Amino acid sequence: IGSDFVARSASPIDLMQFRLALEPDIAASSVERAGSADIERMQSTIDASRSVGSLQEFEDLDDELHRTIAASCRNPLFLAAATLITAVRTQAKWGSLKKRTLTDQLRGVHTAEHITIVDAIRRRDAGAAHDAMRQHLVNVHNMMFPANLLAR
């Protein structure tokens, strides 16, 4: 199955299930493999996300942060997964759902969660990085799918 087919076929809920299955472990792996330059890039991406005006700019930086975390693991399969996630996130279904659900207040919540994730990576605390990423993704899922809430 080609990645273009997967990106066009996957629904937003498919994407969130995929992300919840992978990204907490990717964040934990980043603790072991990320260098100081990786962590600086994560932090600069968060810093940039605080001052953007549009939803699309925020989404692009959010995606860049998650891809940077995956790339910091030095595992090509994690980076391939992040690339696939990006491809699905660029589909219209994801964008229209985000436009309906992501408020300025929730952007602030996501930014605080991103800070918690990167702080755990910086402290080299794999358990905290895993848990912070899982909590972040559960919150994103619950924001986007309020009729299908996941336990925090």
Side-chain angles (χ1 to χ4, degrees), residues 26-63:
I26 290 172
S29 180
S30 178
V31 165
E32 298 173 15
R33 305 295 304 269
S36 60
D38 297 312
I39 295 169
E40 287 174 22
R41 182 169 177 208
M42 292 173 203
Q43 186 62 54
S44 67
T45 302
I46 292 170
D47 294 343
S49 75
R50 292 177 186 203
S51 62
V52 297
S54 75
L55 171 64
Q56 189 57 55
E57 290 171 309
F58 183 83
E59 275 291 290
D60 290 346
L61 288 166
D62 179 81
D63 185 63

Side-chain angles (χ1 to χ4, degrees), residues 3 6-7 10 14-23 26 59 62-63 66-67 70 77-91 94 137:
S3 60
V6 172
D14 293 335
L15 179 60
M16 288 310 303
Q17 289 172 340
F18 183 71
R19 293 181 71 187
L20 278 158
L22 293 177
E23 287 192 63
I26 290 172
E59 275 291 290
D62 179 81
D63 185 63
H66 287 267
R67 280 187 289 114
L77 295 174
F78 288 167
L79 189 53
T83 301
L84 183 58
I85 289 167
T86 297
V88 177
R89 287 178 66 159
T90 61
Q91 298 299 308
W94 180 270
L137 294 173

Side-chain angles (χ1 to χ4, degrees), residues 66-81:
H66 287 267
R67 280 187 289 114
T68 300
I69 293 169
S72 75
C73 297
R74 313 288 189 269
N75 181 324
L77 295 174
F78 288 167
L79 189 53

